[in-house]
Amino acid sequence: MARAEQHSTIPHAPDRPAPDATPNRWRVIVGAGVGNALEWYDWTVYAIFAPFFASQFFHEDNPASALLSTLAVFAVGFLMRPLGGLFFGWLADRRGRRSAMVTAMIITAVGSLLIGVSPTYPAVGVLASVLLVLARLGQGFGLGGEIGGSHVYLAEMAPRRRRGLWCSSMYIAITCGVLAATLLAAVLTTALGKQAMTAWGWRLPFLLGAVLGFYAIFLRRGLQETDAYVKDKQDTARTSVLRGVWSNRRAAWKVVGLTIGGTVAYYTWSVSATSYAINAKGIDAQQALWAGVAANLVFIAALPLWGALSDRWGRKPNLFLFPIALGALTFPLTGLIQDSAWQLAVSMSVALFVLGSVTSIAPAFNAELFPTRVRATGFAFPYSLAVAVFGGTAPYLQTFLASHGLGYLFTLYSIALLAISFLTAFTVKETKGIELE
């Protein structure tokens, strides 16, 4: 699709297309999305396979304690996301979006490889736990970098009148990663059984993620830089990134407010719902995982619909609709999940369909809040901070409260965060169709 909306008067290097050239849409979408798919595949594999490998990294005398420790490490990985967002945001704003995307992918692939080959607690004791923590810190750092690199890259490469649709592909890629992890878990548990999965089968998805990650590195190296970044780099004086973010601090706080409701909903319904159903509700593991596959297919179908609608009616209707609808449905959907996989499938499908209204536009809308010279840092740091504090702790908090018969408190907590996102939506201006220059 021609980028007729974005014109540039700067000279172009021989290996860059002219400003009015047609970008290879699928090359851009796949190149930006493949890293997110693989990084979220790695991330979700950890959450889903935690019940199988918890005893391999922590003392197995108390299975419940080992699982909670494993989920705590899941949350620890999120602590690195704000640092990753800050570092890779700076790298993307100073060295280019492509450099940030490639470097982030390298770090995440190495983290996945380390988990896949790590020795177990019975073999090396606490060293196994330490290696797991280090790998998760690295993955969290790299995933924080994806926001400043690939999300901004896709937003800047998209035609401004179809930016919502193009950027919805980012969460399609993310969900494909989640779906691949869930599908692989369903296949492996069916083929190998619980004993083999606990003994060695859990290593397979991490090793596969590492192999695919190194392939994605070479794919991203072939992408061109965005016109918005190149133009800004040549036409403006370079100022401190942190100073630039500070001058846009109101936009940064809006990113936080709009993110917290959606991130807890995403990790609750897309990432940890199957693990919660298996451990807290006693649903058969195989059936729960297949229910997760079905629900994520619904999510994938909903994303381009919501993205295209935002290009037609604006971003703000999506921002208002999501917290109202999901806030009203949270208690009924949570209560529906009892002891059957079909209940889990229905609840997840409805929640993820509604969630698609906000996740589809997040890369576009958050990028539209900031000027080019600080767009990656301004978007990535507050977004990663909100996800780390609220999203990263969601699986642990949900499991902990459910284990003490207080699951309703987590539901109330989720609704309160949705209310904050709803109120924040009143403070933002409509950004549909603006130029990212």
Side-chain angles (χ1 to χ4, degrees):
M1 176 173 294
R3 296 179 65 197
E5 301 90 346
Q6 296 188 18
H7 298 282
S8 174
T9 59
I10 66 172
H12 286 257
D15 61 340
R16 288 184 54 78
D20 58 351
T22 300
N24 188 320
R25 175 177 58 183
W26 294 113
R27 183 179 179 86
V28 169
I29 290 175
V30 173
V34 66
N36 280 266
L38 290 174
E39 296 213 32
W40 281 88
Y41 163 87
D42 289 336
W43 206 253
T44 307
V45 157
Y46 186 97
I48 292 178
F49 283 82
F52 296 110
F53 66 77
S55 61
Q56 302 294 319
F57 289 96
F58 297 94
H59 204 288
E60 61 182 350
D61 284 354
N62 188 335
S65 177
L67 177 59
L68 285 174
S69 297
T70 306
L71 292 177
V73 175
F74 181 85
V76 166
F78 278 79
L79 297 179
M80 294 299 290
R81 289 192 60 166
L83 295 179
L86 185 61
F87 172 77
F88 286 103
W90 170 86
L91 185 65
D93 285 330
R94 285 294 175 265
R95 297 290 182 264
R97 316 319 192 194
R98 181 177 59 184
S99 295
M101 288 193 294
V102 171
T103 308
M105 193 70 254
I106 292 173
I107 293 174
T108 304
V110 171
S112 184
L113 179 63
L114 180 58
I115 295 177
V117 301
S118 287
T120 63
Y121 189 93
V124 297
V126 72
L127 177 60
S129 305
V130 172
L131 290 175
L132 180 65
V133 172
L134 290 177
R136 292 300 298 159
L137 291 176
Q139 287 184 319
F141 189 71
L143 187 54
E146 281 294 319
I147 308 303
S150 61
H151 288 222
V152 170
Y153 179 84
L154 183 58
E156 291 182 345
M157 291 295 287
R160 64 185 178 90
R161 291 189 176 89
R162 302 193 70 185
R163 191 178 296 130
L165 177 60
W166 276 48
C167 287
S168 70
S169 68
M170 185 60 68
Y171 268 87
I172 292 177
I174 288 172
T175 308
C176 284
V178 174
L179 183 60
T182 305
L183 183 60
L184 182 59
V187 171
L188 288 178
T189 54
T190 301
L192 300 179
K194 185 175 181 179
Q195 184 175 356
M197 285 297 301
T198 302
W200 57 270
W202 61 268
R203 295 184 184 273
L204 299 179
F206 291 106
L207 295 175
L208 177 61
V211 172
L212 296 176
F214 286 112
Y215 167 75
I217 293 168
F218 291 100
L219 184 62
R220 283 183 161 184
R221 284 171 59 88
L223 296 175
Q224 71 178 60
E225 190 53 82
T226 70
D227 287 341
Y229 171 78
V230 173
K231 181 178 185 297
D232 182 77
K233 184 177 181 180
Q234 296 189 17
D235 288 358
T236 65
R238 310 310 291 168
T239 58
S240 167
V241 171
L242 291 180
R243 188 178 297 116
V245 173
W246 177 253
S247 66
N248 290 274
R249 59 189 178 277
R250 291 185 178 179
W253 278 113
K254 291 174 183 178
V255 171
V256 172
L258 293 170
T259 299
I260 57 177
T263 190
V264 170
Y266 183 80
Y267 283 98
T268 299
W269 292 106
S270 181
V271 176
S272 67
T274 53
S275 180
Y276 168 78
I278 294 169
N279 292 283
K281 296 298 183 177
I283 296 178
D284 179 75
Q286 297 177 21
Q287 295 181 12
L289 291 170
W290 284 113
V293 170
N296 275 287
L297 288 174
V298 172
F299 191 40
I300 289 175
L303 286 166
L305 170 65
W306 288 116
L309 286 175
S310 78
D311 287 328
R312 179 176 294 272
W313 65 22
R315 318 291 189 221
K316 292 192 69 171
N318 290 36
L319 297 177
F320 284 120
L321 183 150
F322 161 69
I324 293 175
L326 194 59
L329 291 170
T330 295
F331 263 111
L333 293 179
T334 303
L336 178 60
I337 304 173
Q338 295 300 322
D339 57 359
S340 175
W342 75 262
Q343 298 166 343
L344 175 65
V346 171
S347 295
M348 288 183 66
S349 296
V350 173
L352 292 179
F353 179 83
V354 175
L355 181 62
S357 63
V358 70
T359 54
S360 62
I361 66 169
F365 181 75
N366 289 330
E368 290 164 346
L369 292 176
F370 297 92
T372 299
R373 68 192 61 131
V374 295
R375 180 169 295 127
T377 313
F379 174 0
F381 179 65
Y383 182 90
S384 298
L385 183 64
V387 171
V389 174
F390 297 95
T393 58
Y396 181 90
L397 185 59
Q398 182 183 35
T399 301
F400 176 80
L401 291 175
S403 67
H404 288 77
L406 301 172
Y408 68 94
L409 290 180
F410 182 81
T411 304
L412 290 173
Y413 168 72
S414 301
I415 293 175
L417 296 182
L418 289 170
I420 293 175
S421 294
F422 174 75
L423 294 175
T424 305
F426 283 100
T427 69
V428 300
K429 296 180 180 180
E430 181 57 63
T431 60
K432 180 193 72 171
I434 68 170
E435 296 280 1
L436 295 185
E437 293 185 354

